[in-house]
Amino acid sequence: MHGLGASTPLWSVIPFALMLGGIAVLPLALSHWWESNRNRAIYTAAVSLPIALWLLFVDSHALAHSMLEYVSFLVLLGSLYVIAGGIHVSGDLEGTPGRNAGLLALGAVLANFVGTTGASMLLIRTLLRTNKQRKNNTHVPFFFILIVSNCGGLLTPLGDPPLFLGYLRGVPFTWTLGLAPYWVLAVGYLVALFWVVDRRAYALETRDTLARDRAEAVPVRVGGAINVVYLAGVIAAVFLPSPWREIVMVGMALLSLRAAPREARTANGFTWAPILEVAILFAGIFVTMVPALALLEARGDELGLGAPWQFFVVTGALSSVLDNAPTYLTFLSAAQALQLPADVVGVPATFLTAISLGAVFMGANTYIGNGPNFMVKAIAEESGYRMPLFFGYALQAIAVLVPLYVLIAMWLAW
């Protein structure tokens, strides 16, 4: 997209700003209107179609490439959503701070094997049921997004889409295991902070609420276990070339819908609304972000980045509002252009570390920073939880994560 970036006018990023602004403002200004996926589709089409038509004339290849990425992105998220939605972890644990923290830590580990999306879909409903009797529970899905949907998936290329793209570009599969100290720092900090917050919230519950929570506890059982086979099929398909990768993933999802028992999906309260919301909004994002990414790639050398901590901050900041996978690739290319010692895929290992950490961790800063964020938000709201609006969530997430970011920046600068 270098040619597009060199000739792209600054006004072409306005539709992207309107997409982000709409996602942030409309749920507050027109809450009832925005609840309908039909209305979300109308807004997305009105904002993105003009820039799509313009791109067809000036660089149809860039638009087609972004749409192919969107299809791959949606097929992966959709297949994981469908299959994981057919695995019902029944039961209702007592919602104590210790049990909640344990579920979040489990999710952070699981994310490295089934991806942040798979882990999110497998565990979010269990965690929501566990805490549904409590009155002070709005922080639970918030921390779930930070830990399971984002920071947990750092240790393998399967954990988060940016790391998988790095693997496809030549990063050794086991290289990300070297990021374990950062994973321990992030997950340890967030789980510990959650435990402190949850303990205080738990102390505010009434005796009647806690008695009801204990009385309604039900042992955990797993239904729809055959879907684990289909989930393994999706994970294996990640290593196939496109379009076979997407074909196999869709096939696994269809098998899950047709061959797996429906009782588990019914028990999960499975609906298509959350994944449709993601599909609609990210279609607009993938279209309107093309000029923004093109400008960044073409003028990236003007940013004056020369230190690992700088790549961490800038990659992370843009991963908060752009899809973190193409942002990762953009700054990987920028780092390669510096022609520094080539430890891994043409860049120093510390630079690749910084880019990886920024893309994965700061994807938690907003609902659009990483694919599972919006789905968890939608599922939590369907379950009766009150989730923060766009800016409210962003302010809370950044406030919680800033100490972690400062420590990592200092670590990279040391």
Side-chain angles (χ1 to χ4, degrees):
M1 290 193 292
H2 290 283
L4 176 61
S7 60
T8 299
L10 291 177
W11 62 259
S12 65
V13 303
I14 292 176
F16 180 66
L18 289 175
M19 277 301 305
L20 300 185
I23 293 170
V25 174
L26 290 179
L28 179 62
L30 299 170
S31 57
H32 180 69
W33 186 85
W34 188 253
E35 288 175 358
S36 167
N37 274 332
R38 182 191 64 183
N39 293 336
R40 294 187 184 108
I42 291 171
Y43 181 83
T44 298
V47 172
S48 61
L49 278 179
I51 202 71
L53 293 174
W54 178 75
L55 285 169
L56 281 175
F57 284 100
V58 300
D59 195 335
S60 59
H61 176 76
L63 178 62
H65 180 74
S66 186
M67 289 298 92
L68 288 174
E69 287 186 339
Y70 167 73
V71 170
S72 296
F73 169 85
L74 188 61
V75 166
L76 176 61
L77 288 185
S79 59
L80 290 174
Y81 177 81
V82 168
I83 296 170
I87 301 174
H88 179 63
V89 183
S90 65
D92 184 351
L93 300 174
E94 185 181 350
T96 64
R99 284 193 175 91
N100 288 333
L103 283 172
L104 292 176
L106 173 64
V109 173
L110 191 62
N112 295 289
F113 298 94
V114 297
T116 53
T117 299
S120 296
M121 295 305 100
L122 284 173
L123 292 180
I124 184 56
R125 292 182 177 88
T126 301
L127 190 65
L128 294 176
R129 282 197 306 272
T130 292
N131 292 276
K132 69 180 180 180
Q133 295 89 353
R134 290 176 50 180
K135 304 300 182 184
N136 303 293
N137 59 9
T138 56
H139 61 285
V140 174
F142 169 77
F143 273 93
F144 186 94
I145 292 175
L146 300 186
I147 297 169
V148 181
S149 302
N150 288 275
C151 296
L154 181 68
L155 296 181
T156 74
L158 298 176
D160 218 30
L163 303 181
F164 179 68
L165 290 180
Y167 167 69
L168 294 179
R169 294 294 178 97
V171 178
F173 190 88
T174 58
W175 181 87
T176 48
L177 292 174
L179 302 177
Y182 300 97
W183 183 89
V184 171
L185 172 65
V187 173
Y189 161 70
L190 288 171
V191 171
L193 180 60
F194 168 82
W195 183 81
V196 171
V197 172
D198 199 40
R199 189 180 181 189
R200 292 180 178 178
Y202 192 78
L204 297 175
E205 301 289 351
T206 65
R207 291 184 178 180
D208 290 343
T209 297
L210 297 181
R212 179 189 171 199
D213 189 23
R214 287 191 293 271
E216 295 183 2
V218 178
V220 170
R221 290 184 176 85
V222 178
I226 186 62
N227 284 288
V228 174
V229 176
Y230 304 136
L231 196 61
V234 171
I235 295 170
V238 167
F239 299 97
L240 297 175
S242 185
W244 295 110
R245 176 174 59 242
E246 290 75 22
I247 291 172
V248 171
M249 288 179 180
V250 170
M252 293 296 103
L254 290 175
L255 283 173
S256 175
L257 288 171
R258 294 294 298 274
R262 297 181 181 180
E263 292 78 9
R265 204 176 303 278
T266 302
N268 275 334
F270 178 89
T271 70
W272 292 100
I275 193 63
L276 285 175
E277 179 180 354
V278 171
I280 291 166
L281 296 180
F282 274 86
I285 289 171
F286 268 81
V287 170
T288 58
M289 77 178 184
V290 173
L293 284 179
L295 284 168
L296 183 61
E297 287 188 32
R299 304 181 184 181
D301 56 349
E302 300 174 10
L303 297 175
L305 302 177
W309 71 267
Q310 293 173 332
F311 274 89
F312 167 69
V313 171
V314 177
T315 301
L318 288 174
S319 291
S320 303
V321 293
L322 298 172
D323 183 69
N324 59 359
T327 302
Y328 170 98
L329 290 181
T330 297
F331 284 99
L332 176 59
S333 298
Q336 290 170 334
L338 298 177
Q339 298 183 350
L340 297 172
D343 299 331
V344 188
V345 292
V347 300
T350 53
F351 281 70
L352 184 58
T353 295
I355 295 167
S356 301
L357 294 175
V360 174
F361 286 173
M362 294 200 202
N365 287 350
T366 70
Y367 284 133
I368 62 172
N370 201 16
N373 300 3
F374 242 125
M375 287 197 290
V376 170
K377 172 184 177 292
I379 291 171
E381 288 175 336
E382 281 191 340
S383 300
Y385 283 71
R386 186 175 180 179
M387 294 296 290
L389 296 176
F390 186 90
F391 286 125
Y393 170 85
L395 290 173
Q396 291 180 43
I398 293 170
V400 167
L401 292 167
V402 157
L404 175 66
Y405 297 156
V406 171
L407 284 174
I408 291 175
M410 293 173 61
W411 193 340
L412 292 169
W414 181 56

